[in-house]
Amino acid sequence: MKIISSIDELRDQLSGQLRTAFVPTMGNLHEGHLSLMRLARRHGDPVVASIFVNRLQFGPNEDFDKYPRTFQADIEKLEKEGVYVLFAPTEKDLYPEPQEYRVQPPNDLGDILEGEFRPGFFNGVSTVVLKLFSCVQPRVAVFGKKDYQQLMIIRKMAKQFALPTEIIAAETWRAEDGLALSSRNGYLSPTERSKAPLLYQTLQQVAAQVRSGQTDLAAVEQEALAQLANADWKPDYVAIRKRANLQAPSAQDLANGEALVVLSAAKLGSTRLIDNLEI
């Protein structure tokens, strides 16, 4: 595996490659990330991964400085997966001057749910992904469904900018007890880790209620929020939305069998976890 930090060197290395499959990450890789590498290989060749902790998507009180960085261990995992190139730029490599041009997602998608609780987050994500796409120029790129809103924003960005990159969605990788794998799971204490599966269990209960014909979605959401709060979580949201645009479904949407997804974000101790489940 070649490890490259320079954009120019990366472009030289990938020159002439027409089927590059790309998986952008922030490192601290776990089995969920590695499953993305395997899916990427099924859709293209060579597989290129990136590791870059993107300062632009962290708010002023978020965990940029303490975000786990495990570069050597990550290299070993990627080599075992047969990744061809690891693009690991420094901030100076990727942002040689202040990144004053930014990608702004539409408000009705970028400022709801995660965007409401993490202002500017999707601006930072969209900007770095567009820049990484410019560097790698992949034919396909793989993103996990755990970050459901992010996946939707990237997919719509690629479409609206007519990028020659197909966005592939990968199913959420879970531990045996249902907890979605996340780099931030490492922040959980043993006691918190034992409580963490409740988030997915709550989503499963919401999905079951909706599937059984419950139409008072606000009541279902409030019940779910209360369940988390009563178990010492600090929930930001539990929201039942349309898969198509993440807007709240109308009674007519429910009657028509609109495809739905329930999304949630909540803090357990000082660790904020997100998850979702398609209904």
Side-chain angles (χ1 to χ4, degrees), residues 21-243:
F22 179 45
V23 184
T25 83
M26 292 207 301
N28 192 31
L29 303 182
H30 50 65
E31 190 60 31
H33 292 112
L34 302 181
S35 73
L36 303 185
M37 308 297 164
R38 296 171 203 136
L39 182 59
R41 169 152 285 105
R42 285 163 42 193
H43 288 274
D45 183 61
V47 175
V48 176
S50 67
I51 292 177
F52 182 71
V53 184
N54 177 41
R55 189 185 297 270
L56 297 186
Q57 69 195 64
F58 287 80
N61 298 314
E62 294 185 335
D63 56 357
F64 175 80
D65 289 326
K66 68 172 186 175
Y67 192 85
R69 292 161 171 84
T70 54
F71 192 63
Q72 286 305 127
D74 293 343
I75 289 172
E76 294 173 10
K77 291 174 182 176
L78 293 175
E79 285 180 331
K80 288 179 181 177
E81 294 298 333
V83 170
Y84 175 61
V85 169
L86 168 60
F87 181 43
T90 65
E91 286 192 283
K92 192 67 174 175
D93 289 319
L94 202 60
Y95 302 130
E97 56 187 67
Q99 188 67 36
E100 295 167 338
Y101 285 81
R102 304 287 185 95
V103 178
Q104 181 63 51
N107 294 342
D108 63 353
L109 184 57
D111 290 349
I112 62 173
L113 302 172
E114 283 299 284
E116 177 183 349
F117 288 91
R118 302 182 67 187
F121 172 69
F122 289 119
N123 174 298
V125 168
S126 301
T127 300
V128 75
V129 169
L130 183 61
K131 193 157 193 178
L132 288 169
F133 282 2
S134 176
C135 297
V136 177
Q137 299 181 24
R139 189 187 70 82
V140 300
V142 179
F143 292 81
K145 280 189 178 181
K146 184 181 79 70
D147 299 290
Y148 202 91
Q149 189 174 5
Q150 171 180 282
L151 169 65
M152 180 172 288
I153 286 173
I154 297 302
R155 181 169 272 158
K156 288 183 179 293
M157 178 185 77
K159 181 180 179 181
Q160 288 204 4
F161 280 111
L163 302 180
T165 302
E166 179 186 357
I167 307 302
I168 305 293
E171 296 297 329
T172 301
W173 197 274
R174 299 185 181 278
E176 289 186 4
D177 58 11
L179 178 65
L181 296 196
S182 168
S183 297
R184 288 187 168 89
N185 291 353
Y187 297 155
L188 298 168
S189 70
T191 299
E192 290 167 346
R193 176 62 185 82
S194 69
K195 296 179 178 179
L198 180 63
L199 186 62
Y200 183 53
Q201 292 165 10
T202 300
L203 296 181
Q204 290 177 305
Q205 291 168 17
V206 168
Q209 288 177 279
V210 175
R211 290 183 185 124
S212 70
Q214 172 64 270
T215 57
D216 188 350
L217 301 189
V220 174
E221 292 169 348
Q222 287 302 314
E223 181 182 337
L225 288 167
Q227 174 170 299
L228 290 169
N230 290 337
D232 299 323
W233 291 70
K234 296 177 182 175
D236 285 340
Y237 59 84
V238 174
I240 302 163
R241 299 297 173 94
K242 295 189 286 186
R243 292 188 210 174

